[in-house]
Amino acid sequence: MTYRIARRSLLLGASSIATLTAFGSRPSLARLGGEITVVHNIEPRSLVGALGGGSTVAEHSAKLHDSLFFHNGTDIEPRLGTEVRNTADALEFTVRLQEGVTWHDGQPFTSADVAFTALEIWKPLSGNVAYRRIASVETPDDLTVVFKMSEPVSPEFFMNSISSGFGQVIPKHIYEGTDYHANPANKAPVGTGPFMFKEWKAGQYLIYERNPRYYRDGFPYADRILYRFEKSEANVAAVLESGEADVSVRNAVPLSDIERLKTMEGLSVTSEGNDAVAGFLHMELNTRREATGKSEVRQAIAHALDMRALIDIVYLGYARPVSGPLPNGSVYRKRGLPAYEFDPAKAEAMLDVAGYPRGANGIRLTLDFVCATWYPATRQAGDVVRQQLSDVGIETNLVTPDFGGMVTRVYKDYDYDIALSNSAHFSDPGLTTFDWYWSKAAIPGVPFRNTMGYMNPELDAAIETALSTGDADARRAAIDKFQDLAVQDLPLIPLAETTIFTVYRSDLQNVADNPQWSQTSWDNVGRDI
Amino acid sequence: MIRIVNALLLRVFNALPVLIGVVTLTFFLLQLAPGDIVDVYAAETNLADPGELERLRREYGLYQPIWLQYLSYLAGSLTFDFGFSLREGAPVIEMILDRLPATLLLNFLALTFAFIVGVTLGTLAALRVGTWADAALSVLMIVFFAAPSFWVGLMFIVVFSVNFGWLPVSGMVTVGAEYGMLGYLCDVALHLILPTLALGLFYASMFARVMRASVLEVHGMDFVQTAEAKGLRGGRIVLKHILPNAILPVVTLLGLNVGTALAGSVVIESVFSWPGIGSMLFSAVQARDIPIVTGILFLSTFLVIVANILVDLFYVWIDPRIEV
């Protein structure tokens, strides 16, 4: 089977001839040159996404590093790779590479770089199953890479993995033989991307400059991208209003400022461009514990929670309900999954049946409730949830540890009954979502991976099929099955999918033009002609 | 002179236990918090390999007995070697030294501003005691003393940056601007105005209130009355007789507040995104990055001690009767 990259369409199921013109109705013309100033309240820890680090690192890394392919939402476009061929048993993938690519320091980019990144970085450091199954990598010539798998990997999943930020390639000649976590290049990367690292003043700003040797002709449009960091969220809006910056992404602006900014001359606000990178507010239910180990109790809790009220109170309406484990924008999301509508009476009845009647003091049971504090909204949601649970007779011991405390208590010691936290979900469930449900994903001491101690052989089997099968229809059926079981068993209750806003100066072009815009290269972003 | 040098050496020697105490206290208090740096690092990077986590823990000495970790940390601190930050990927001392100047600059300017403005306004208020000017100054001082400095800072931003567009919202330099040395200095100066005012006005109002009371007290003393009786007039009496005596309580207050100002600048640094050590401290605590936390606390303690010794010397300079 060969992937003719430009013709494949995985996300929307509609096939089209995708080149850059496939952005459709959006104008893609913009002036060459100029600067784009971004203002953000979170500074990245490093600039190399291949080494991990979540969405902030991904946002920066994508400007400097290329992945093998790029998923524009409709189609997969070539980048460092031009073509993928896989064997029918889904055990071998051959990737052809782009000719004439050089690293920012002038060294040639070859298949050795891909092999090094795959074996030394992707496979051991990321949790991605497609990468974990790489047994060896062969490089018959400078422009050919052959991935040999230890177990079959669904080609669709493999393609989605190497087309995402998880598929960025880093230079062998800089990293080989070093301590990858301490390599100075993590803070001053050498990539192949459209922009080159120029300067980072910690706590202040970061500057990227156009890569004059970029292999894609005509890109990037802008000469420079400047990142400016604000410690206080409130300042982000002030910086945009005073005209000192052009764009802020990923809700760096407080939600309470959104309505005001919408009415401001010269500024635009959009919630597009994030469909493939959804953020959930969710509740983890520790299935090792007696009460939350029962699916009836978990379902009762879901009925007790008024998610609409939660969205209105905590997110000022800027969030969407979510009815399954996959985000609303994912093409794999199954429609018509049963929803647990808000019904306190039903919740109480279910708790009665499950063996938790109200005691003399009106309390049915008391649960340890750990609430994350990394976003102010999550902390506020903790109070709302606590109140709603109390209404049906579930009392909670609410604790709100800081980041380090949360990681230890919930994700390492598993010392909780319910935990309120956040998770990120990509369109393909193999990229992060499965990690929350798959019993084999749990690794003691490694956070954000089935911390609920949940195990259901049927659901495990569905996940494993979706990860391995070479048949696209069988894969979709397995993902549907996974969603059915996840909603039915409810080890994790997704509460809301947060709306992600981008605020930008109205003369910027090609803003939010792909489903994970903040985490892409911005090679076509520029000002009006 | 030798007496002073000896006394200074004694001071420095006495400071050692304080420094060791600070390191000890912070080290063990931070050990009480659940979680270590590798937990946080793994969470932040989605590092999903138990073997790698194991390796990192071993490399950063987290499996060593706690007293051994403490001793090696203490030895490092006293030689200003605070180790390596896994999370930031850089030696701690380098990171601190990179950002310390910004904090020192802001604090130095704010306290200098506060001292000059406070002493001047306090003296003026005292000399015009009971007039409308005194009343107006007193009200102003109370307002700036009572208002939280972060709120004052935010109001400054709203008024001077967003509404009038006169001054930059925050930061230390204009991002990406290219200019010569002079342009750079002007740029930093512009960025300094609002945070210096926001931090300095609080201390200025405190100093002014103390100065006013002190001038009033000294003004009533016999030697001032004598000087007036001898026919000396206004300016000379104030400069030669009243000020040197009245200023001592303010100098004491200044010395006491060097430490407070360093702490207070954590808030102002956050409001104005000033690239100092304050915000670094905050995120390091969250991340269990103990080398950075103890490093910053050690250096801050060190600075407070140095500042106090300098204040003592300043005492001697303005009033020779005082012994070190």
Side-chain angles (χ1 to χ4, degrees):
Chain A
M1 184 195 277
T2 302
Y3 276 85
R4 297 307 306 176
I5 298 308
R7 286 163 194 271
R8 280 298 296 187
S9 54
L10 297 176
L11 259 179
L12 299 178
S15 120
S16 68
I17 296 178
T19 57
L20 284 162
T21 54
F23 286 122
S25 58
R26 269 175 191 287
S28 64
L29 285 174
R31 197 167 60 200
L32 284 184
E35 299 177 342
I36 302 161
T37 307
V38 192
V39 54
H40 211 304
N41 63 330
I42 306 176
E43 193 165 357
R45 221 179 20 75
S46 93
L47 304 177
V48 181
L51 291 163
S55 31
T56 305
V57 177
E59 183 187 331
H60 289 268
S61 183
K63 316 287 182 282
L64 306 165
H65 298 95
D66 272 305
S67 47
L68 290 170
F69 298 94
F70 171 61
H71 212 315
N72 68 23
T74 326
D75 298 277
I76 289 180
E77 298 177 20
R79 283 294 185 269
L80 291 174
T82 56
E83 187 188 285
V84 183
R85 203 172 290 127
N86 68 275
T87 52
D89 57 8
L91 278 169
E92 191 178 304
F93 294 81
T94 306
V95 179
R96 284 290 297 168
L97 300 180
Q98 185 81 41
E99 266 178 82
V101 180
T102 56
W103 293 99
H104 292 159
D105 62 3
Q107 296 278 323
F109 160 81
T110 69
S111 54
D113 293 309
V114 180
F116 169 79
T117 307
L119 288 175
E120 292 286 318
I121 310 292
W122 294 348
K123 179 178 157 78
L125 301 185
S126 85
N128 184 304
V129 177
Y131 296 153
R132 297 238 147 206
R133 290 183 179 174
I134 297 174
S136 65
V137 182
E138 286 167 15
T139 51
D141 62 62
D142 276 357
L143 296 179
T144 309
V145 188
V146 183
F147 296 92
K148 304 230 173 192
M149 302 298 176
S150 55
E151 288 171 69
V153 173
S154 155
E156 203 168 279
F157 174 44
F158 184 78
M159 279 313 292
N160 284 346
S161 297
I162 61 173
S163 308
S164 68
F166 297 99
Q168 289 168 0
V169 183
I170 60 172
K172 181 182 181 185
H173 66 279
I174 302 275
Y175 280 90
E176 192 173 33
T178 67
D179 177 352
Y180 308 135
H181 300 286
N183 193 310
N186 296 347
K187 300 221 151 194
V190 173
T192 55
F195 294 96
M196 304 196 295
F197 175 82
K198 168 92 185 300
E199 191 189 359
W200 185 356
K201 211 65 180 118
Q204 302 186 57
Y205 60 83
L206 240 166
I207 302 179
Y208 305 133
E209 283 200 320
R210 146 192 287 275
N211 173 5
R213 279 189 293 246
Y214 194 49
Y215 61 95
R216 296 178 65 228
D217 282 341
F219 294 98
Y221 288 4
D223 282 339
R224 297 212 280 180
I225 298 180
L226 315 172
Y227 270 86
R228 163 173 176 176
F229 301 113
E230 291 297 326
K231 289 202 181 79
S232 130
E233 204 187 26
N235 278 6
V236 176
V239 168
L240 287 164
E241 281 178 71
S242 66
E244 290 176 41
D246 299 313
V247 59
S248 87
V249 295
R250 298 201 295 120
N251 288 1
V253 171
L255 291 177
S256 51
D257 279 339
I258 291 290
E259 282 309 313
R260 190 167 52 85
L261 290 173
K262 273 183 183 167
T263 64
M264 290 207 54
E265 188 79 25
L267 284 182
S268 301
V269 179
T270 179
S271 58
E272 282 175 50
N274 297 294
D275 279 350
V277 278
F280 281 5
L281 173 75
H282 74 214
M283 182 188 279
E284 290 149 53
L285 299 143
N286 193 348
T287 62
R288 302 170 190 84
R289 296 286 180 98
E290 203 212 309
T292 43
K294 297 184 172 129
S295 60
E296 304 82 25
V297 173
R298 300 197 292 264
Q299 290 160 352
I301 287 175
H303 279 301
L305 297 175
D306 184 354
M307 302 181 194
R308 196 68 249 174
L310 192 74
I311 287 170
D312 289 340
I313 295 169
V314 176
Y315 293 99
L316 310 175
Y318 297 125
R320 286 188 283 181
V322 50
S323 56
L326 288 180
N328 288 300
S330 168
V331 291
Y332 297 103
R333 189 172 73 98
K334 189 178 178 189
R335 312 280 147 166
L337 285 169
Y340 291 87
E341 72 276 12
F342 174 54
D343 190 345
K346 189 168 179 187
E348 299 220 33
M350 290 175 79
L351 287 167
D352 283 337
V353 174
Y356 297 96
R358 278 191 190 262
N361 50 5
I363 297 174
R364 297 172 182 278
L365 73 163
T366 305
L367 299 177
D368 289 331
F369 181 8
V370 186
C371 176
T373 53
W374 32 67
Y375 303 116
T378 310
R379 173 69 191 80
Q380 291 160 16
D383 288 328
V384 177
V385 165
R386 180 167 202 252
Q387 179 60 48
Q388 292 179 354
L389 289 180
S390 166
D391 291 344
V392 297
I394 300 175
E395 289 305 308
T396 47
N397 303 319
L398 178 64
V399 288
T400 54
D402 69 353
F403 188 79
M406 180 80 187
V407 168
T408 304
R409 177 146 184 192
V410 176
Y411 299 125
K412 191 178 167 201
D413 296 344
Y414 306 131
D415 177 19
Y416 69 100
D417 287 310
I418 53 178
L420 199 67
S421 176
N422 300 84
S423 49
H425 298 266
F426 294 84
S427 180
D428 190 315
L431 294 179
T432 55
T433 309
F434 285 162
D435 289 341
W436 284 102
Y437 295 86
W438 194 19
S439 66
K440 291 177 193 160
I443 305 170
V446 178
F448 307 132
R449 304 173 67 83
N450 192 349
T451 49
M452 302 86 72
Y454 175 67
M455 159 108 116
N456 176 348
E458 213 183 343
L459 186 136
D460 279 353
I463 288 177
E464 281 154 34
T465 305
L467 292 174
S468 310
T469 180
D471 176 7
D473 294 330
R475 179 166 205 256
R476 189 167 282 265
I479 295 175
D480 282 352
K481 174 99 178 160
F482 156 73
Q483 294 179 74
D484 286 334
L485 291 171
V487 169
Q488 187 189 314
D489 249 11
L490 223 57
L492 181 145
I493 307 177
L495 297 171
E497 181 180 336
T498 50
T499 308
I500 303 173
F501 287 106
T502 302
V503 183
Y504 61 102
R505 240 153 250 294
S506 309
D507 65 344
L508 275 193
Q509 287 296 330
N510 299 331
V511 171
D513 68 352
N514 69 61
Q516 41 185 317
W517 185 70
S518 68
Q519 298 175 27
T520 55
S521 74
W522 293 12
D523 56 5
N524 64 342
V525 179
R527 307 218 175 246
D528 271 342
I529 288 186
Chain B
M1 193 62 202
I2 288 172
R3 212 167 47 95
I4 294 182
V5 171
N6 277 341
L8 264 184
L9 283 177
L10 188 68
R11 282 273 168 150
V12 173
F13 188 71
N14 283 341
L16 263 180
V18 177
L19 283 173
I20 293 173
V22 167
V23 173
T24 309
L25 208 62
T26 45
F27 184 87
F28 284 104
L29 281 178
L30 282 166
Q31 294 296 332
L32 292 180
D36 62 33
I37 175 73
V38 174
D39 290 337
V40 176
Y41 185 78
E44 285 187 337
T45 55
N46 308 324
L47 186 61
D49 181 22
E52 182 71 8
L53 296 179
E54 181 91 13
R55 187 189 71 78
L56 286 171
R57 281 211 170 78
R58 208 171 312 115
E59 186 161 312
Y60 286 86
L62 297 178
Y63 288 126
Q64 288 174 353
I66 202 75
W67 60 269
L68 203 62
Q69 291 185 43
Y70 165 69
L71 282 185
S72 71
Y73 192 74
L74 184 64
S77 290
L78 294 178
T79 53
F80 292 93
D81 172 12
F82 304 112
F84 189 87
S85 166
L86 168 66
R87 186 164 170 271
E88 306 288 341
V92 171
I93 186 70
E94 251 177 47
M95 292 168 48
I96 295 179
L97 288 183
D98 189 41
R99 301 187 53 170
L100 191 61
T103 297
L104 291 183
L105 177 68
L106 176 60
N107 277 283
F108 178 76
L109 280 182
L111 283 179
T112 311
F113 165 84
F115 189 74
I116 294 171
V117 171
V119 166
T120 312
L121 291 186
T123 309
L124 287 178
L127 294 178
R128 304 258 182 291
V129 67
T131 66
W132 66 268
D134 178 28
L137 282 174
S138 296
V139 168
L140 210 65
M141 288 170 208
I142 288 172
V143 167
F144 281 112
F145 185 72
S149 49
F150 76 87
W151 181 82
V152 173
L154 284 174
M155 290 305 111
F156 280 175
I157 291 176
V158 169
V159 174
F160 296 109
S161 304
V162 176
N163 281 359
F164 293 130
W166 290 342
L167 291 167
V169 174
S170 62
M172 189 171 171
V173 293
T174 306
V175 185
E178 276 163 20
Y179 34 48
M181 196 61 202
L182 193 67
Y184 176 79
L185 290 178
C186 291
D187 191 35
V188 172
L190 276 181
H191 282 83
L192 263 169
I193 294 175
L194 292 185
T196 305
L197 286 180
L199 184 60
L201 279 171
F202 169 79
Y203 294 99
S205 59
M206 186 199 289
F207 295 161
R209 280 148 49 92
V210 172
M211 190 66 191
R212 179 177 175 276
S214 181
V215 168
L216 283 177
E217 192 189 330
V218 174
H219 196 272
M221 286 184 174
D222 289 348
F223 68 94
V224 177
Q225 304 294 332
T226 312
E228 279 186 346
K230 276 171 29 185
L232 289 177
R233 281 295 129 222
R236 222 180 134 68
I237 292 181
V238 173
L239 282 179
K240 285 278 166 190
H241 296 271
I242 298 179
L243 269 186
N245 290 291
I247 210 167
L248 285 178
V250 182
V251 174
T252 312
L253 206 57
L254 177 70
L256 287 174
N257 276 297
V258 168
T260 329
L262 268 176
S265 76
V266 172
V267 176
I268 289 294
E269 279 180 18
S270 300
V271 171
F272 289 97
S273 302
W274 193 255
I277 53 172
S279 47
M280 200 163 89
L281 176 64
F282 184 73
S283 59
V285 170
Q286 290 253 314
R288 301 287 184 270
D289 207 336
I290 293 178
I292 294 188
V293 177
T294 29
I296 291 178
L297 291 177
F298 181 87
L299 272 186
S300 311
T301 316
F302 182 75
L303 288 172
V304 170
I305 290 170
V306 169
N308 279 317
I309 294 178
L310 288 179
V311 165
D312 287 352
L313 290 181
F314 190 59
Y315 265 49
V316 179
W317 180 63
I318 51 175
D319 191 343
R321 287 170 302 174
I322 296 172
E323 293 192 4
V324 175

